[in-house]
mmCIF file with all atom_site columns, all heavy atoms in Angstrom:
data_model
loop_
_atom_site.group_PDB
_atom_site.id
_atom_site.type_symbol
_atom_site.label_atom_id
_atom_site.label_alt_id
_atom_site.label_comp_id
_atom_site.label_asym_id
_atom_site.label_entity_id
_atom_site.label_seq_id
_atom_site.pdbx_PDB_ins_code
_atom_site.Cartn_x
_atom_site.Cartn_y
_atom_site.Cartn_z
_atom_site.occupancy
_atom_site.B_iso_or_equiv
_atom_site.pdbx_formal_charge
_atom_site.auth_seq_id
_atom_site.auth_comp_id
_atom_site.auth_asym_id
_atom_site.auth_atom_id
_atom_site.pdbx_PDB_model_num
ATOM 1   N N   . PRO R 1 70  ? 209.627 37.419 52.637 1.00 94.00 ? 70  PRO R N   1
ATOM 2   C CA  . PRO R 1 70  ? 210.882 37.134 52.147 1.00 94.00 ? 70  PRO R CA  1
ATOM 3   C C   . PRO R 1 70  ? 211.877 36.745 53.266 1.00 94.00 ? 70  PRO R C   1
ATOM 4   O O   . PRO R 1 70  ? 211.733 37.199 54.382 1.00 94.00 ? 70  PRO R O   1
ATOM 5   C CB  . PRO R 1 70  ? 211.274 38.498 51.342 1.00 94.00 ? 70  PRO R CB  1
ATOM 6   C CG  . PRO R 1 70  ? 210.541 39.578 52.306 1.00 94.00 ? 70  PRO R CG  1
ATOM 7   C CD  . PRO R 1 70  ? 209.277 38.862 52.633 1.00 94.00 ? 70  PRO R CD  1
ATOM 8   N N   . SER R 1 71  ? 212.912 35.920 52.945 1.00 88.00 ? 71  SER R N   1
ATOM 9   C CA  . SER R 1 71  ? 213.881 35.607 53.885 1.00 88.00 ? 71  SER R CA  1
ATOM 10  C C   . SER R 1 71  ? 215.247 36.217 53.693 1.00 88.00 ? 71  SER R C   1
ATOM 11  O O   . SER R 1 71  ? 215.722 36.195 52.493 1.00 88.00 ? 71  SER R O   1
ATOM 12  C CB  . SER R 1 71  ? 213.930 33.980 53.871 1.00 88.00 ? 71  SER R CB  1
ATOM 13  O OG  . SER R 1 71  ? 215.068 33.627 54.740 1.00 88.00 ? 71  SER R OG  1
ATOM 14  N N   . VAL R 1 72  ? 215.883 36.686 54.760 1.00 83.00 ? 72  VAL R N   1
ATOM 15  C CA  . VAL R 1 72  ? 217.137 37.249 54.732 1.00 83.00 ? 72  VAL R CA  1
ATOM 16  C C   . VAL R 1 72  ? 218.281 36.143 54.529 1.00 83.00 ? 72  VAL R C   1
ATOM 17  O O   . VAL R 1 72  ? 219.331 36.438 54.295 1.00 83.00 ? 72  VAL R O   1
ATOM 18  C CB  . VAL R 1 72  ? 217.403 38.176 55.909 1.00 83.00 ? 72  VAL R CB  1
ATOM 19  C CG1 . VAL R 1 72  ? 216.554 39.386 55.901 1.00 83.00 ? 72  VAL R CG1 1
ATOM 20  C CG2 . VAL R 1 72  ? 217.348 37.291 57.058 1.00 83.00 ? 72  VAL R CG2 1
ATOM 21  N N   . GLU R 1 73  ? 217.826 34.970 54.537 1.00 83.00 ? 73  GLU R N   1
ATOM 22  C CA  . GLU R 1 73  ? 218.700 33.705 54.586 1.00 83.00 ? 73  GLU R CA  1
ATOM 23  C C   . GLU R 1 73  ? 219.070 33.383 53.110 1.00 83.00 ? 73  GLU R C   1
ATOM 24  O O   . GLU R 1 73  ? 220.048 32.607 52.892 1.00 83.00 ? 73  GLU R O   1
ATOM 25  C CB  . GLU R 1 73  ? 218.088 32.523 55.254 1.00 83.00 ? 73  GLU R CB  1
ATOM 26  C CG  . GLU R 1 73  ? 217.691 32.754 56.663 1.00 83.00 ? 73  GLU R CG  1
ATOM 27  C CD  . GLU R 1 73  ? 218.825 33.143 57.538 1.00 83.00 ? 73  GLU R CD  1
ATOM 28  O OE1 . GLU R 1 73  ? 219.949 32.633 57.351 1.00 83.00 ? 73  GLU R OE1 1
ATOM 29  O OE2 . GLU R 1 73  ? 218.600 33.921 58.484 1.00 83.00 ? 73  GLU R OE2 1
ATOM 30  N N   . TRP R 1 77  ? 219.491 38.238 47.292 1.00 96.00 ? 77  TRP R N   1
ATOM 31  C CA  . TRP R 1 77  ? 218.314 38.985 47.637 1.00 96.00 ? 77  TRP R CA  1
ATOM 32  C C   . TRP R 1 77  ? 217.162 38.944 46.636 1.00 96.00 ? 77  TRP R C   1
ATOM 33  O O   . TRP R 1 77  ? 215.998 38.953 46.926 1.00 96.00 ? 77  TRP R O   1
ATOM 34  C CB  . TRP R 1 77  ? 218.710 40.432 48.015 1.00 96.00 ? 77  TRP R CB  1
ATOM 35  C CG  . TRP R 1 77  ? 219.095 41.221 46.835 1.00 96.00 ? 77  TRP R CG  1
ATOM 36  C CD1 . TRP R 1 77  ? 220.126 41.452 46.155 1.00 96.00 ? 77  TRP R CD1 1
ATOM 37  C CD2 . TRP R 1 77  ? 218.200 41.986 45.946 1.00 96.00 ? 77  TRP R CD2 1
ATOM 38  N NE1 . TRP R 1 77  ? 220.142 42.172 45.135 1.00 96.00 ? 77  TRP R NE1 1
ATOM 39  C CE2 . TRP R 1 77  ? 218.823 42.624 44.987 1.00 96.00 ? 77  TRP R CE2 1
ATOM 40  C CE3 . TRP R 1 77  ? 216.741 42.259 46.049 1.00 96.00 ? 77  TRP R CE3 1
ATOM 41  C CZ2 . TRP R 1 77  ? 218.247 43.414 44.018 1.00 96.00 ? 77  TRP R CZ2 1
ATOM 42  C CZ3 . TRP R 1 77  ? 216.175 43.012 45.024 1.00 96.00 ? 77  TRP R CZ3 1
ATOM 43  C CH2 . TRP R 1 77  ? 216.936 43.687 43.990 1.00 96.00 ? 77  TRP R CH2 1
ATOM 44  N N   . ALA R 1 80  ? 214.788 36.120 47.146 1.00 97.00 ? 80  ALA R N   1
ATOM 45  C CA  . ALA R 1 80  ? 213.802 36.282 48.262 1.00 97.00 ? 80  ALA R CA  1
ATOM 46  C C   . ALA R 1 80  ? 212.727 37.143 47.763 1.00 97.00 ? 80  ALA R C   1
ATOM 47  O O   . ALA R 1 80  ? 211.532 37.014 48.104 1.00 97.00 ? 80  ALA R O   1
ATOM 48  C CB  . ALA R 1 80  ? 214.635 36.912 49.352 1.00 97.00 ? 80  ALA R CB  1
ATOM 49  N N   . ILE R 1 81  ? 213.011 38.355 47.125 1.00 97.00 ? 81  ILE R N   1
ATOM 50  C CA  . ILE R 1 81  ? 212.126 39.315 46.720 1.00 97.00 ? 81  ILE R CA  1
ATOM 51  C C   . ILE R 1 81  ? 211.225 38.631 45.535 1.00 97.00 ? 81  ILE R C   1
ATOM 52  O O   . ILE R 1 81  ? 210.021 38.984 45.526 1.00 97.00 ? 81  ILE R O   1
ATOM 53  C CB  . ILE R 1 81  ? 212.808 40.658 46.234 1.00 97.00 ? 81  ILE R CB  1
ATOM 54  C CG1 . ILE R 1 81  ? 213.470 41.273 47.469 1.00 97.00 ? 81  ILE R CG1 1
ATOM 55  C CG2 . ILE R 1 81  ? 211.760 41.542 45.669 1.00 97.00 ? 81  ILE R CG2 1
ATOM 56  C CD1 . ILE R 1 81  ? 212.526 41.637 48.611 1.00 97.00 ? 81  ILE R CD1 1
ATOM 57  N N   . LEU R 1 113 ? 202.527 45.120 59.208 1.00 96.00 ? 113 LEU R N   1
ATOM 58  C CA  . LEU R 1 113 ? 203.753 45.745 59.667 1.00 96.00 ? 113 LEU R CA  1
ATOM 59  C C   . LEU R 1 113 ? 205.019 44.790 59.534 1.00 96.00 ? 113 LEU R C   1
ATOM 60  O O   . LEU R 1 113 ? 206.084 45.112 59.094 1.00 96.00 ? 113 LEU R O   1
ATOM 61  C CB  . LEU R 1 113 ? 203.698 46.237 61.128 1.00 96.00 ? 113 LEU R CB  1
ATOM 62  C CG  . LEU R 1 113 ? 202.627 47.313 61.285 1.00 96.00 ? 113 LEU R CG  1
ATOM 63  C CD1 . LEU R 1 113 ? 202.458 47.666 62.870 1.00 96.00 ? 113 LEU R CD1 1
ATOM 64  C CD2 . LEU R 1 113 ? 203.007 48.592 60.517 1.00 96.00 ? 113 LEU R CD2 1
ATOM 65  N N   . ARG R 1 114 ? 204.706 43.489 59.905 1.00 96.00 ? 114 ARG R N   1
ATOM 66  C CA  . ARG R 1 114 ? 205.808 42.397 59.939 1.00 96.00 ? 114 ARG R CA  1
ATOM 67  C C   . ARG R 1 114 ? 206.256 42.280 58.418 1.00 96.00 ? 114 ARG R C   1
ATOM 68  O O   . ARG R 1 114 ? 207.464 42.170 58.114 1.00 96.00 ? 114 ARG R O   1
ATOM 69  C CB  . ARG R 1 114 ? 205.221 41.225 60.393 1.00 96.00 ? 114 ARG R CB  1
ATOM 70  C CG  . ARG R 1 114 ? 206.317 40.021 60.586 1.00 96.00 ? 114 ARG R CG  1
ATOM 71  C CD  . ARG R 1 114 ? 205.809 38.856 61.476 1.00 96.00 ? 114 ARG R CD  1
ATOM 72  N NE  . ARG R 1 114 ? 204.505 38.396 61.167 1.00 96.00 ? 114 ARG R NE  1
ATOM 73  C CZ  . ARG R 1 114 ? 203.411 38.668 61.788 1.00 96.00 ? 114 ARG R CZ  1
ATOM 74  N NH1 . ARG R 1 114 ? 203.485 39.406 62.963 1.00 96.00 ? 114 ARG R NH1 1
ATOM 75  N NH2 . ARG R 1 114 ? 202.317 38.095 61.376 1.00 96.00 ? 114 ARG R NH2 1
ATOM 76  N N   . HIS R 1 115 ? 205.225 42.318 57.486 1.00 96.00 ? 115 HIS R N   1
ATOM 77  C CA  . HIS R 1 115 ? 205.635 42.166 56.114 1.00 96.00 ? 115 HIS R CA  1
ATOM 78  C C   . HIS R 1 115 ? 206.429 43.229 55.544 1.00 96.00 ? 115 HIS R C   1
ATOM 79  O O   . HIS R 1 115 ? 207.491 42.967 54.917 1.00 96.00 ? 115 HIS R O   1
ATOM 80  C CB  . HIS R 1 115 ? 204.210 42.042 55.295 1.00 96.00 ? 115 HIS R CB  1
ATOM 81  C CG  . HIS R 1 115 ? 204.400 41.670 53.852 1.00 96.00 ? 115 HIS R CG  1
ATOM 82  N ND1 . HIS R 1 115 ? 204.269 40.506 53.331 1.00 96.00 ? 115 HIS R ND1 1
ATOM 83  C CD2 . HIS R 1 115 ? 204.751 42.459 52.754 1.00 96.00 ? 115 HIS R CD2 1
ATOM 84  C CE1 . HIS R 1 115 ? 204.529 40.493 52.032 1.00 96.00 ? 115 HIS R CE1 1
ATOM 85  N NE2 . HIS R 1 115 ? 204.809 41.757 51.708 1.00 96.00 ? 115 HIS R NE2 1
ATOM 86  N N   . HIS R 1 116 ? 206.045 44.490 55.798 1.00 96.00 ? 116 HIS R N   1
ATOM 87  C CA  . HIS R 1 116 ? 206.868 45.635 55.251 1.00 96.00 ? 116 HIS R CA  1
ATOM 88  C C   . HIS R 1 116 ? 208.281 45.528 55.851 1.00 96.00 ? 116 HIS R C   1
ATOM 89  O O   . HIS R 1 116 ? 209.247 45.863 55.219 1.00 96.00 ? 116 HIS R O   1
ATOM 90  C CB  . HIS R 1 116 ? 206.100 46.874 55.687 1.00 96.00 ? 116 HIS R CB  1
ATOM 91  C CG  . HIS R 1 116 ? 204.924 47.094 54.861 1.00 96.00 ? 116 HIS R CG  1
ATOM 92  N ND1 . HIS R 1 116 ? 204.763 46.884 53.621 1.00 96.00 ? 116 HIS R ND1 1
ATOM 93  C CD2 . HIS R 1 116 ? 203.729 47.707 55.318 1.00 96.00 ? 116 HIS R CD2 1
ATOM 94  C CE1 . HIS R 1 116 ? 203.503 47.146 53.145 1.00 96.00 ? 116 HIS R CE1 1
ATOM 95  N NE2 . HIS R 1 116 ? 202.881 47.636 54.195 1.00 96.00 ? 116 HIS R NE2 1
ATOM 96  N N   . ASP R 1 117 ? 208.383 45.270 57.263 1.00 97.00 ? 117 ASP R N   1
ATOM 97  C CA  . ASP R 1 117 ? 209.643 45.219 57.745 1.00 97.00 ? 117 ASP R CA  1
ATOM 98  C C   . ASP R 1 117 ? 210.471 44.211 57.164 1.00 97.00 ? 117 ASP R C   1
ATOM 99  O O   . ASP R 1 117 ? 211.778 44.369 57.044 1.00 97.00 ? 117 ASP R O   1
ATOM 100 C CB  . ASP R 1 117 ? 209.475 44.932 59.314 1.00 97.00 ? 117 ASP R CB  1
ATOM 101 C CG  . ASP R 1 117 ? 210.820 45.081 60.004 1.00 97.00 ? 117 ASP R CG  1
ATOM 102 O OD1 . ASP R 1 117 ? 211.312 46.263 60.285 1.00 97.00 ? 117 ASP R OD1 1
ATOM 103 O OD2 . ASP R 1 117 ? 211.342 43.967 60.522 1.00 97.00 ? 117 ASP R OD2 1
ATOM 104 N N   . ALA R 1 118 ? 209.935 43.012 56.829 1.00 97.00 ? 118 ALA R N   1
ATOM 105 C CA  . ALA R 1 118 ? 210.663 41.889 56.282 1.00 97.00 ? 118 ALA R CA  1
ATOM 106 C C   . ALA R 1 118 ? 211.260 42.271 54.896 1.00 97.00 ? 118 ALA R C   1
ATOM 107 O O   . ALA R 1 118 ? 212.451 41.949 54.514 1.00 97.00 ? 118 ALA R O   1
ATOM 108 C CB  . ALA R 1 118 ? 209.788 40.609 56.170 1.00 97.00 ? 118 ALA R CB  1
ATOM 109 N N   . VAL R 1 119 ? 210.390 42.906 54.038 1.00 97.00 ? 119 VAL R N   1
ATOM 110 C CA  . VAL R 1 119 ? 210.835 43.288 52.803 1.00 97.00 ? 119 VAL R CA  1
ATOM 111 C C   . VAL R 1 119 ? 211.922 44.406 52.897 1.00 97.00 ? 119 VAL R C   1
ATOM 112 O O   . VAL R 1 119 ? 212.965 44.226 52.271 1.00 97.00 ? 119 VAL R O   1
ATOM 113 C CB  . VAL R 1 119 ? 209.685 43.895 52.015 1.00 97.00 ? 119 VAL R CB  1
ATOM 114 C CG1 . VAL R 1 119 ? 210.177 44.499 50.590 1.00 97.00 ? 119 VAL R CG1 1
ATOM 115 C CG2 . VAL R 1 119 ? 208.583 42.822 51.710 1.00 97.00 ? 119 VAL R CG2 1
ATOM 116 N N   . LEU R 1 120 ? 211.764 45.307 53.728 1.00 97.00 ? 120 LEU R N   1
ATOM 117 C CA  . LEU R 1 120 ? 212.823 46.264 53.887 1.00 97.00 ? 120 LEU R CA  1
ATOM 118 C C   . LEU R 1 120 ? 214.088 45.740 54.452 1.00 97.00 ? 120 LEU R C   1
ATOM 119 O O   . LEU R 1 120 ? 215.231 46.082 54.142 1.00 97.00 ? 120 LEU R O   1
ATOM 120 C CB  . LEU R 1 120 ? 212.351 47.431 54.827 1.00 97.00 ? 120 LEU R CB  1
ATOM 121 C CG  . LEU R 1 120 ? 211.298 48.398 54.266 1.00 97.00 ? 120 LEU R CG  1
ATOM 122 C CD1 . LEU R 1 120 ? 210.669 49.221 55.216 1.00 97.00 ? 120 LEU R CD1 1
ATOM 123 C CD2 . LEU R 1 120 ? 211.898 49.122 53.056 1.00 97.00 ? 120 LEU R CD2 1
ATOM 124 N N   . GLY R 1 121 ? 213.908 44.814 55.350 1.00 96.00 ? 121 GLY R N   1
ATOM 125 C CA  . GLY R 1 121 ? 215.102 43.981 55.911 1.00 96.00 ? 121 GLY R CA  1
ATOM 126 C C   . GLY R 1 121 ? 216.018 43.305 54.849 1.00 96.00 ? 121 GLY R C   1
ATOM 127 O O   . GLY R 1 121 ? 217.181 43.403 54.910 1.00 96.00 ? 121 GLY R O   1
ATOM 128 N N   . VAL R 1 122 ? 215.341 42.655 53.914 1.00 97.00 ? 122 VAL R N   1
ATOM 129 C CA  . VAL R 1 122 ? 216.063 41.928 52.950 1.00 97.00 ? 122 VAL R CA  1
ATOM 130 C C   . VAL R 1 122 ? 216.909 42.997 52.065 1.00 97.00 ? 122 VAL R C   1
ATOM 131 O O   . VAL R 1 122 ? 218.070 42.841 51.848 1.00 97.00 ? 122 VAL R O   1
ATOM 132 C CB  . VAL R 1 122 ? 215.112 41.248 51.994 1.00 97.00 ? 122 VAL R CB  1
ATOM 133 C CG1 . VAL R 1 122 ? 215.948 40.788 50.678 1.00 97.00 ? 122 VAL R CG1 1
ATOM 134 C CG2 . VAL R 1 122 ? 214.539 40.053 52.665 1.00 97.00 ? 122 VAL R CG2 1
ATOM 135 N N   . LEU R 1 123 ? 216.276 44.080 51.786 1.00 97.00 ? 123 LEU R N   1
ATOM 136 C CA  . LEU R 1 123 ? 216.979 45.186 50.931 1.00 97.00 ? 123 LEU R CA  1
ATOM 137 C C   . LEU R 1 123 ? 218.085 45.862 51.850 1.00 97.00 ? 123 LEU R C   1
ATOM 138 O O   . LEU R 1 123 ? 219.164 46.037 51.200 1.00 97.00 ? 123 LEU R O   1
ATOM 139 C CB  . LEU R 1 123 ? 216.075 46.187 50.366 1.00 97.00 ? 123 LEU R CB  1
ATOM 140 C CG  . LEU R 1 123 ? 214.886 45.710 49.588 1.00 97.00 ? 123 LEU R CG  1
ATOM 141 C CD1 . LEU R 1 123 ? 213.787 46.652 49.321 1.00 97.00 ? 123 LEU R CD1 1
ATOM 142 C CD2 . LEU R 1 123 ? 215.451 45.051 48.237 1.00 97.00 ? 123 LEU R CD2 1
ATOM 143 N N   . ARG R 1 124 ? 217.868 46.212 52.983 1.00 95.00 ? 124 ARG R N   1
ATOM 144 C CA  . ARG R 1 124 ? 218.847 46.956 53.685 1.00 95.00 ? 124 ARG R CA  1
ATOM 145 C C   . ARG R 1 124 ? 220.110 45.981 54.053 1.00 95.00 ? 124 ARG R C   1
ATOM 146 O O   . ARG R 1 124 ? 221.267 46.497 54.040 1.00 95.00 ? 124 ARG R O   1
ATOM 147 C CB  . ARG R 1 124 ? 218.181 47.488 55.074 1.00 95.00 ? 124 ARG R CB  1
ATOM 148 C CG  . ARG R 1 124 ? 217.168 48.523 54.823 1.00 95.00 ? 124 ARG R CG  1
ATOM 149 C CD  . ARG R 1 124 ? 217.733 49.913 54.337 1.00 95.00 ? 124 ARG R CD  1
ATOM 150 N NE  . ARG R 1 124 ? 218.428 50.522 55.479 1.00 95.00 ? 124 ARG R NE  1
ATOM 151 C CZ  . ARG R 1 124 ? 219.540 51.253 55.484 1.00 95.00 ? 124 ARG R CZ  1
ATOM 152 N NH1 . ARG R 1 124 ? 220.317 51.145 54.337 1.00 95.00 ? 124 ARG R NH1 1
ATOM 153 N NH2 . ARG R 1 124 ? 219.984 51.825 56.468 1.00 95.00 ? 124 ARG R NH2 1
ATOM 154 N N   . GLU R 1 125 ? 219.719 44.774 54.247 1.00 94.00 ? 125 GLU R N   1
ATOM 155 C CA  . GLU R 1 125 ? 220.899 43.848 54.735 1.00 94.00 ? 125 GLU R CA  1
ATOM 156 C C   . GLU R 1 125 ? 221.835 43.572 53.583 1.00 94.00 ? 125 GLU R C   1
ATOM 157 O O   . GLU R 1 125 ? 222.997 43.201 53.822 1.00 94.00 ? 125 GLU R O   1
ATOM 158 C CB  . GLU R 1 125 ? 220.321 42.521 55.239 1.00 94.00 ? 125 GLU R CB  1
ATOM 159 C CG  . GLU R 1 125 ? 219.654 42.578 56.531 1.00 94.00 ? 125 GLU R CG  1
ATOM 160 C CD  . GLU R 1 125 ? 220.555 42.943 57.617 1.00 94.00 ? 125 GLU R CD  1
ATOM 161 O OE1 . GLU R 1 125 ? 221.761 42.454 57.614 1.00 94.00 ? 125 GLU R OE1 1
ATOM 162 O OE2 . GLU R 1 125 ? 220.259 43.651 58.554 1.00 94.00 ? 125 GLU R OE2 1
ATOM 163 N N   . VAL R 1 126 ? 221.434 43.833 52.262 1.00 94.00 ? 126 VAL R N   1
ATOM 164 C CA  . VAL R 1 126 ? 222.377 43.540 51.232 1.00 94.00 ? 126 VAL R CA  1
ATOM 165 C C   . VAL R 1 126 ? 222.920 44.892 50.661 1.00 94.00 ? 126 VAL R C   1
ATOM 166 O O   . VAL R 1 126 ? 223.676 44.898 49.765 1.00 94.00 ? 126 VAL R O   1
ATOM 167 C CB  . VAL R 1 126 ? 221.590 42.852 49.996 1.00 94.00 ? 126 VAL R CB  1
ATOM 168 C CG1 . VAL R 1 126 ? 221.313 41.439 50.447 1.00 94.00 ? 126 VAL R CG1 1
ATOM 169 C CG2 . VAL R 1 126 ? 220.533 43.628 49.422 1.00 94.00 ? 126 VAL R CG2 1
ATOM 170 N N   . GLY R 1 127 ? 222.758 46.044 51.432 1.00 93.00 ? 127 GLY R N   1
ATOM 171 C CA  . GLY R 1 127 ? 223.394 47.168 51.043 1.00 93.00 ? 127 GLY R CA  1
ATOM 172 C C   . GLY R 1 127 ? 222.618 48.268 50.356 1.00 93.00 ? 127 GLY R C   1
ATOM 173 O O   . GLY R 1 127 ? 223.165 49.276 50.044 1.00 93.00 ? 127 GLY R O   1
ATOM 174 N N   . PHE R 1 128 ? 221.313 48.074 50.225 1.00 96.00 ? 128 PHE R N   1
ATOM 175 C CA  . PHE R 1 128 ? 220.471 49.110 49.574 1.00 96.00 ? 128 PHE R CA  1
ATOM 176 C C   . PHE R 1 128 ? 220.464 50.354 50.676 1.00 96.00 ? 128 PHE R C   1
ATOM 177 O O   . PHE R 1 128 ? 220.374 50.154 51.868 1.00 96.00 ? 128 PHE R O   1
ATOM 178 C CB  . PHE R 1 128 ? 219.101 48.739 49.376 1.00 96.00 ? 128 PHE R CB  1
ATOM 179 C CG  . PHE R 1 128 ? 218.812 48.013 48.124 1.00 96.00 ? 128 PHE R CG  1
ATOM 180 C CD1 . PHE R 1 128 ? 219.083 46.682 47.948 1.00 96.00 ? 128 PHE R CD1 1
ATOM 181 C CD2 . PHE R 1 128 ? 218.335 48.612 47.026 1.00 96.00 ? 128 PHE R CD2 1
ATOM 182 C CE1 . PHE R 1 128 ? 218.814 45.975 46.849 1.00 96.00 ? 128 PHE R CE1 1
ATOM 183 C CE2 . PHE R 1 128 ? 218.110 47.992 45.841 1.00 96.00 ? 128 PHE R CE2 1
ATOM 184 C CZ  . PHE R 1 128 ? 218.387 46.557 45.740 1.00 96.00 ? 128 PHE R CZ  1
ATOM 185 N N   . ALA R 1 133 ? 216.022 51.699 49.018 1.00 97.00 ? 133 ALA R N   1
ATOM 186 C CA  . ALA R 1 133 ? 215.105 50.702 49.494 1.00 97.00 ? 133 ALA R CA  1
ATOM 187 C C   . ALA R 1 133 ? 213.677 51.047 49.382 1.00 97.00 ? 133 ALA R C   1
ATOM 188 O O   . ALA R 1 133 ? 212.795 50.414 48.887 1.00 97.00 ? 133 ALA R O   1
ATOM 189 C CB  . ALA R 1 133 ? 215.496 50.325 51.015 1.00 97.00 ? 133 ALA R CB  1
ATOM 190 N N   . VAL R 1 137 ? 210.987 49.286 46.920 1.00 97.00 ? 137 VAL R N   1
ATOM 191 C CA  . VAL R 1 137 ? 209.602 48.744 47.391 1.00 97.00 ? 137 VAL R CA  1
ATOM 192 C C   . VAL R 1 137 ? 208.548 49.404 46.520 1.00 97.00 ? 137 VAL R C   1
ATOM 193 O O   . VAL R 1 137 ? 207.537 48.683 46.098 1.00 97.00 ? 137 VAL R O   1
ATOM 194 C CB  . VAL R 1 137 ? 209.465 49.088 48.903 1.00 97.00 ? 137 VAL R CB  1
ATOM 195 C CG1 . VAL R 1 137 ? 208.018 48.921 49.290 1.00 97.00 ? 137 VAL R CG1 1
ATOM 196 C CG2 . VAL R 1 137 ? 210.422 48.266 49.721 1.00 97.00 ? 137 VAL R CG2 1
#
Side-chain angles (χ1 to χ4, degrees):
S71 172
V72 295
E73 304 299 325
W77 70 270
I81 297 298
L113 297 174
R114 185 165 55 249
H115 186 96
H116 291 319
D117 187 75
V119 174
L120 289 170
V122 169
L123 299 173
R124 294 288 283 138
E125 288 295 325
V126 296
F128 278 83
V137 169

